[in-house]
Amino acid sequence: MKIFHREIEKNGNGHFVLMANEGEDMWHVYNLICVGDELKATTFRKVQQESATGSTSNSRRVRTNIRLRVEGTDFDANACLLRVKGRNVQESEVIKMGGYHTLDLEPNRKFTLYKNEWDSISIQRIEDACDPTKHAELAAITMQEGLAFVVLITSAMTVERAKIDVNIPKKGKADDTQRKKNMLKFFEQIAASVYRHFNFDVLKAVIIASPGFLKDDFFSYLIKDATDQGHKQLLDNKGKFILVRASSGFKHALREVMQDPNVSQRLADVKAAGETRLLHQFLNMLGTQPDRAYYGYQHVKKAADNIAVEALLVCDSLFRSTNTAERRRYIRLVEQVKDSGSEVKIFSSLHVTGEQLDLMTGVA
């Protein structure tokens, strides 16, 4: 994320001129924009050309600035595209005042965001997004025979980059030539996805998870294939690969994988692992020491009032609430816990840990 300009008054009213540099930044932008905010950016509109006689000819696309009062947002995590819907609040030659419009925001496109009140959570999110040292990255491959998912896990979300589905004949047939051939094709497609989607300059670790020894067989194939094809970058980073047993090859198996203490130890410097560790610690405490683990706003607020919070877990979906009073309530709770010197972790609702926390009221 890049900041071009900021202007905030003492009462919190003001605006930021920003630009998302990469896909993960778009998730931060999605969390920043709330219903009632105003968003200014360039867009294109089709304009009908009218002749002197009043007849209309072919339409043409015109580039124009638009300022919307936000009424809704829709985020596509895989395409890293954010659609913002609202009414035009700035007079324009091609867009009527009060007319509905949809703005498509994507990386490398400048925009201005106006808020009546910039709270500490929003400002902290911008500062974190502008700090490249906080972008710890993790990748994972979950697999079972014939099915694999290649995903990138950022501090904010889990993004599917490829799904590989190959029919593998069952064992036990007299001639297993076709089985071996299809298994080789399966490994080839996964390896191709690794070469295409994994940037080892950024990645801290790569998890390969599967039932049985499939992960070991694939990793042996990957190293041999990288050696044969001269993929020096992968070979130089083979120490980043972590092989873990999982119950299946589906994406939801990542949850159990991330709770493995051996994996957490290897991923100590990856932000996603820190959130997993805290959530796992909370769930364990809920089962063994329920008088020390609380969830739901009322119970958590009482703990905060008594300065009895060791760590506060909050899902970012609570800060996107269309209810302004509810949003402010959680912002005040976060500030209160931070002021007492306790740890605060904001979980992403697009991350497996955030999904789990969201099922438990979103605050714990």
Side-chain angles (χ1 to χ4, degrees):
M1 187 93 76
K2 186 174 181 181
I3 301 174
F4 290 91
H5 180 70
R6 64 186 288 173
E7 189 175 314
I8 302 177
E9 297 174 10
K10 287 183 178 180
N11 62 2
N13 180 285
H15 67 272
F16 275 82
V17 182
L18 303 165
M19 185 172 73
N21 293 326
E22 56 190 19
E24 186 180 346
D25 289 340
M26 293 306 301
W27 172 249
H28 294 302
V29 174
Y30 170 54
N31 278 279
L32 285 170
I33 298 175
C34 298
V35 172
D37 293 346
E38 293 185 8
L39 179 70
K40 183 178 179 181
T42 57
T43 187
F44 290 90
R45 282 296 283 246
K46 284 184 178 179
V47 177
Q48 293 281 350
Q49 292 178 308
E50 192 172 308
S51 67
T53 59
S55 60
T56 57
S57 58
N58 292 335
S59 61
R60 59 189 178 91
R61 281 168 59 84
V62 176
R63 183 187 180 98
T64 184
N65 284 321
I66 185 171
R67 180 165 168 170
L68 298 180
R69 179 169 289 115
V70 179
E71 294 190 3
T73 55
D74 182 33
F75 182 56
D76 184 340
N78 289 319
C80 291
L81 180 68
L82 176 61
R83 289 187 172 89
V84 183
K85 300 174 185 177
R87 286 180 181 268
N88 180 35
V89 295
Q90 184 173 285
E91 196 65 50
S92 168
E93 291 181 7
V94 295
I95 304 174
K96 290 181 180 178
M97 189 75 167
Y100 277 105
H101 190 79
T102 300
L103 265 175
D104 288 341
L105 287 183
E106 54 192 357
N108 301 312
R109 191 172 171 197
K110 193 188 293 188
F111 63 93
T112 306
L113 181 60
Y114 301 83
K115 285 181 179 286
N116 290 327
E117 183 184 355
W118 281 92
D119 56 66
S120 60
I121 300 293
S122 297
I123 293 173
Q124 185 65 51
R125 182 176 284 278
I126 291 176
E127 290 174 352
D128 287 349
C130 292
D131 184 355
T133 64
K134 296 186 178 181
H135 291 189
E137 298 285 350
L138 171 66
I141 304 165
T142 57
M143 58 196 305
Q144 62 190 45
E145 283 198 359
L147 179 68
F149 291 90
V150 177
V151 301
L152 291 176
I153 306 170
T154 70
S155 59
M157 61 182 129
T158 304
V159 182
E160 180 184 316
R161 281 294 177 230
K163 178 185 177 183
I164 294 92
D165 195 351
V166 176
N167 181 41
I168 308 291
K170 291 182 179 179
K171 290 181 181 178
K173 294 185 178 180
D175 182 11
D176 64 349
T177 306
Q178 190 60 43
R179 174 182 167 78
K180 289 179 179 177
K181 185 177 178 181
N182 286 21
M183 189 63 81
L184 181 63
K185 178 183 176 184
F186 180 50
F187 283 176
E188 284 174 351
Q189 290 185 19
I190 302 171
S193 293
V194 169
Y195 301 143
R196 187 181 309 118
H197 298 298
F198 288 1
N199 179 0
F200 289 97
D201 291 335
V202 177
L203 290 173
K204 298 287 194 303
V206 180
I207 293 172
I208 304 179
S210 79
F213 295 101
L214 187 64
K215 59 187 181 302
D216 306 273
D217 294 340
F218 170 70
F219 185 60
S220 298
Y221 167 84
L222 183 65
I223 296 303
K224 182 179 182 301
D225 186 64
T227 304
D228 294 343
Q229 296 198 38
H231 282 280
K232 188 174 183 298
Q233 191 186 40
L234 187 145
L235 294 171
D236 290 344
N237 288 276
K238 63 182 180 182
K240 293 182 178 180
F241 284 83
I242 306 168
L243 276 55
V244 187
R245 188 192 176 284
S247 58
S248 78
F250 289 93
K251 282 187 293 183
H252 63 72
L254 274 175
R255 185 177 300 167
E256 66 184 69
V257 166
M258 296 288 281
Q259 289 176 354
D260 186 317
N262 294 324
V263 176
S264 296
Q265 189 174 353
R266 291 283 304 272
L267 301 175
D269 61 334
V270 180
K271 188 177 180 182
E275 291 160 356
T276 303
R277 173 186 56 79
L278 270 180
L279 183 62
H280 189 49
Q281 185 181 340
F282 168 76
L283 293 173
N284 278 343
M285 193 173 283
L286 194 62
T288 57
Q289 297 174 284
D291 57 327
R292 290 187 58 205
Y294 293 90
Y295 62 94
Y297 177 80
Q298 294 298 337
H299 290 108
V300 172
K301 181 68 170 72
K302 285 181 181 178
D305 289 343
N306 285 282
I307 318 177
V309 176
E310 179 186 347
L312 177 67
L313 287 58
V314 190
C315 193
D316 60 12
S317 58
L318 296 173
F319 304 117
R320 293 197 304 274
S321 172
T322 53
N323 185 326
T324 305
E326 182 184 36
R327 199 162 65 233
R328 285 176 177 165
R329 186 173 66 172
Y330 284 103
I331 289 166
R332 285 196 297 267
L333 177 63
V334 167
E335 291 173 343
Q336 180 182 356
V337 173
K338 279 184 176 178
D339 289 344
S340 71
S342 299
E343 183 178 7
V344 175
K345 277 284 186 184
I346 297 177
F347 286 61
S348 167
S349 56
L350 275 191
H351 197 276
V352 288
T353 53
E355 290 173 1
Q356 198 169 359
L357 181 62
D358 208 25
L359 294 173
M360 303 177 68
T361 76
V363 62

